[in-house]
Amino acid sequence: MGYNVLIVDDSMIIRSMVAKTLQISGLDLGKLHYASNGQEGLDQVHNHAVDIVFADINMPVMDGVQMVSAMAEEGLLQRIPVVIISTERNTQRIDHLKDLGVTAYLKKPFMPEDFKAVVEELLAEGGK
């Protein structure tokens, strides 16, 4: 049984790159779900079994910070780790996301090894 992953990014190219990176990382993947903004991401989390979320910060409709805040309010971050993937370098914003409950932060550009290490670390802690 593989990991069900949600990829939230407004760029279809980045969503595809993240999916491809996860696939070549050697992780045992289940279903991959996609969303182009935070609201769609919340909808996916509510409608599908998701083990981990990879999300961008800057998106239309609902950004990554708003999505993480909504997930925190609903108690979802206690069972679903969120990894931010972004070019954002503002340490205050990154610290704020971590305070909200974001589990890890990967900077673009990224490498397959980065994804594998983060997923294995986060989901192994959860007993998956």
Side-chain angles (χ1 to χ4, degrees):
M1 185 170 100
Y3 301 120
N4 295 321
V5 178
L6 171 60
I7 303 167
V8 186
D9 197 298
D10 57 319
S11 167
M12 184 173 30
I13 292 169
I14 296 295
R15 289 192 308 267
S16 296
M17 287 174 55
V18 171
K20 187 67 168 173
T21 301
L22 286 166
Q23 291 165 344
I24 64 173
S25 71
L27 288 166
D28 182 17
L29 296 176
K31 293 198 101 172
L32 295 180
H33 303 281
Y34 304 92
S36 63
N37 62 62
Q39 184 58 61
E40 289 179 11
L42 283 176
D43 294 343
Q44 291 284 9
V45 167
H46 292 141
N47 294 318
H48 301 284
V50 173
D51 296 309
I52 190 167
V53 175
F54 289 94
D56 190 15
I57 294 175
N58 300 307
M59 298 178 284
V61 182
M62 176 186 277
D63 68 24
V65 176
Q66 293 167 319
M67 182 187 79
V68 169
S69 294
M71 289 179 71
E73 287 175 17
E74 294 180 33
L76 296 171
L77 296 179
Q78 295 170 355
R79 65 177 177 84
I80 304 172
V82 175
V83 178
I84 296 294
I85 306 169
S86 182
T87 57
E88 181 75 47
R89 301 291 193 253
N90 181 322
T91 55
Q92 288 178 329
R93 195 166 193 197
I94 295 167
D95 289 343
H96 175 65
L97 283 162
K98 288 181 179 177
D99 289 343
L100 287 172
V102 166
T103 316
Y105 185 88
L106 294 175
K107 293 178 183 168
K108 294 176 186 174
F110 45 77
M111 301 292 293
E113 306 83 45
D114 300 332
F115 282 83
K116 185 173 184 175
V118 166
V119 171
E120 286 178 341
E121 178 183 336
L122 296 179
L123 296 182
E125 290 174 4
K128 181 125 175 104

